[in-house]
Amino acid sequence: MYSLSSQKKFWTFKTEQELTELRLKQNHNFITKHGAAMTEDQKLAHFLTADEERLLLKQYELQLKEFCKRFEPPMPKYVVGTAFHYFKRFYLNNSSMDYHPKEILATCVYLSCKVEEFNVSIAQFVANIKGDRVKAMDIILSNELLLMQELNYYLTIHNPIRPIEGFLIDIKTRCNMSNPDRLRPGIEDFIDKTFLTDAPLMYAPSQIALAAVLHAASKEQENLDSYVTESLFGAAKDKLPVLIEAVRRVRSMVRTIELPQKERVRFLEKKLEKCRNQENNPDSQIYKQRMKKMYEDEDDLDVMGSSYHMNVSDASLDVSQLNTTNPANMTID
């Protein structure tokens, strides 16, 4: 249940101001750490501002949407919704200058496929990615644990898909609307747009679902006001003002979406390449050296494990049994 979920407890925020402050904090922390020797003017010229980060992330949300739309085999809507939640949550705790959105984006979608049991192998997944697929596979697998850590391992997502189906069934039962299924195209379009807003971080799935249904109904010249006030909340009218305000705000957020201008995005992409954390850039020498050292450390662990097994074998112990229980003999992925 959403009301008892980690999503409501830890990842649902009361105001847009809370989200803005979290993003400002991550931007400030990154600039403070990596621009300590710079003047304020130098920092402004070199680093992305919080507003610039937000604009760039909006562009990558559009890319996430298109990637999922073109994905083969076709990706269910709830998998897409979960991926968007992961992406938005990650950048409440991190700056896009620390971890490039194009790399985190793919990892969010891949983790979403696994969590939502949309069974595709990593080979099938990267077949949907243009360019160097071996490199893409390495990046996704390297970032998977990081992503889960930044989500605090709260991976279960409650999407508005199920409440939408519930509303449509209820409308068929308790309303005299002809063919409620004709609302589906408008509902799906509305839900797609909510993923480009902060609504998933602020409102319950049922509130977003109802906003989508009411929006689609109004497009079809249908009025569901009496259904909401009498059928849904006839016995709980005290809760109606909160619901009405939530629906109004969600519809307003969708209505006022501003898409990034291409020229502006290109400028910010170039700026990001210059100011991003090179320790997390797979193309940088610093990153490659760090990964090389990590693999060398793994090799050292393997050698230590082999030596340990040789010693216990001399003591006439069951080596095969030790191989299955001794952590030193495990390979770190």
Side-chain angles (χ1 to χ4, degrees):
M1 290 178 60
Y2 170 76
S3 59
L4 301 176
S5 67
S6 60
Q7 181 173 334
K8 176 175 172 57
K9 186 174 182 180
F10 301 109
W11 292 104
T12 300
F13 301 86
K14 292 182 179 179
T15 66
E16 290 181 86
Q17 183 61 31
E18 283 185 79
L19 299 173
T20 299
E21 288 174 1
L22 284 171
R23 290 164 180 149
L24 282 169
K25 178 183 176 183
Q26 300 309 325
N27 179 267
H28 173 77
N29 289 347
F30 183 89
I31 294 174
T32 300
K33 179 179 178 180
H34 295 274
M38 295 183 182
T39 65
E40 290 303 314
D41 288 341
Q42 288 173 329
K43 290 177 183 177
L44 191 60
H46 183 70
F47 296 109
L48 297 175
T49 65
D51 287 341
E52 288 173 336
E53 284 199 73
R54 190 76 192 101
L55 185 66
L56 199 54
L57 288 172
K58 181 80 71 179
Q59 177 63 27
Y60 278 99
E61 288 177 347
L62 289 168
Q63 291 185 21
L64 193 161
K65 176 184 173 183
E66 287 304 308
F67 176 73
C68 293
K69 184 178 179 180
R70 297 193 309 268
F71 196 89
E72 290 294 338
M75 187 177 291
K77 287 286 185 182
Y78 58 85
V79 180
V80 180
T82 295
F84 266 102
H85 271 270
Y86 290 168
F87 188 77
K88 290 175 182 293
R89 290 181 181 185
F90 183 87
Y91 285 108
L92 291 180
N93 289 335
N94 296 278
S95 167
S96 58
M97 294 180 284
D98 219 354
Y99 298 100
H100 201 294
K102 68 183 177 184
E103 295 156 11
I104 298 302
L105 181 159
T107 310
C108 288
V109 179
Y110 179 65
L111 181 60
S112 175
C113 290
K114 293 174 73 172
V115 170
E116 297 292 358
E117 298 183 352
F118 177 54
N119 296 316
V120 292
S121 67
I122 185 64
Q124 285 177 296
F125 186 89
V126 297
N128 289 273
I129 296 175
K130 297 177 182 178
D132 189 337
R133 289 168 179 166
V134 173
K135 179 181 176 182
M137 186 185 301
D138 288 342
I139 290 172
I140 290 168
L141 296 178
S142 296
N143 285 332
E144 188 177 10
L145 180 58
L146 166 72
L147 175 59
M148 289 191 288
Q149 289 172 336
E150 293 303 314
L151 298 175
N152 293 324
Y153 298 97
Y154 296 128
L155 304 181
T156 300
I157 300 296
H158 296 262
N159 282 296
I161 310 303
R162 185 174 293 178
I164 286 169
E165 295 303 320
F167 283 130
L168 290 176
I169 292 170
D170 197 44
I171 289 169
K172 290 175 184 177
T173 305
R174 297 200 280 179
C175 281
N176 57 4
M177 181 190 296
S178 62
N179 188 23
D181 283 327
R182 63 195 165 94
L183 302 181
R184 287 187 182 277
I187 290 172
E188 290 182 5
D189 179 65
F190 186 90
I191 292 298
D192 285 346
K193 289 177 180 176
T194 63
F195 293 145
L196 303 177
T197 72
D198 282 332
L201 296 172
M202 295 178 62
Y203 297 101
S206 58
Q207 293 172 331
I208 295 173
L210 184 57
V213 170
L214 294 178
H215 171 81
S218 67
K219 291 289 184 182
E220 293 291 326
Q221 308 302 314
E222 296 282 357
N223 190 320
L224 291 176
D225 288 352
S226 61
Y227 165 71
V228 174
T229 57
E230 301 302 326
S231 298
L232 287 182
F233 287 89
K237 290 190 182 295
D238 57 313
K239 296 181 180 179
L240 199 54
V242 175
L243 176 72
I244 291 173
E245 177 61 17
V247 168
R248 185 192 69 79
R249 285 291 302 131
V250 172
R251 294 182 71 177
S252 174
M253 292 168 90
V254 167
R255 189 169 55 250
T256 56
I257 290 174
E258 293 184 12
L259 300 181
Q261 296 180 345
K262 291 182 179 179
E263 286 298 321
R264 183 65 174 161
V265 169
R266 277 195 284 267
F267 170 77
L268 295 179
E269 288 276 17
K270 291 178 181 177
K271 193 174 181 181
L272 177 59
E273 285 304 319
K274 293 178 181 178
C275 68
R276 68 177 297 190
N277 184 356
Q278 293 304 310
E279 290 186 7
N280 298 324
N281 179 2
D283 294 325
S284 73
Q285 285 302 314
I286 297 174
Y287 179 90
K288 291 173 182 176
Q289 289 170 3
R290 180 162 62 85
M291 295 303 292
K292 181 181 177 182
K293 185 178 186 304
M294 185 180 74
Y295 291 135
E296 287 174 349
D297 289 344
E298 287 182 10
D299 291 341
D300 289 343
L301 285 174
D302 288 340
V303 170
M304 289 172 63
S306 298
S307 174
Y308 175 72
H309 291 314
M310 289 174 66
N311 290 337
V312 295
S313 177
D314 292 341
S316 299
L317 292 176
D318 187 344
V319 176
S320 63
Q321 177 68 23
L322 285 169
N323 283 343
T324 63
T325 58
N326 177 28
N329 196 44
M330 294 174 64
T331 302
I332 301 173
D333 293 328

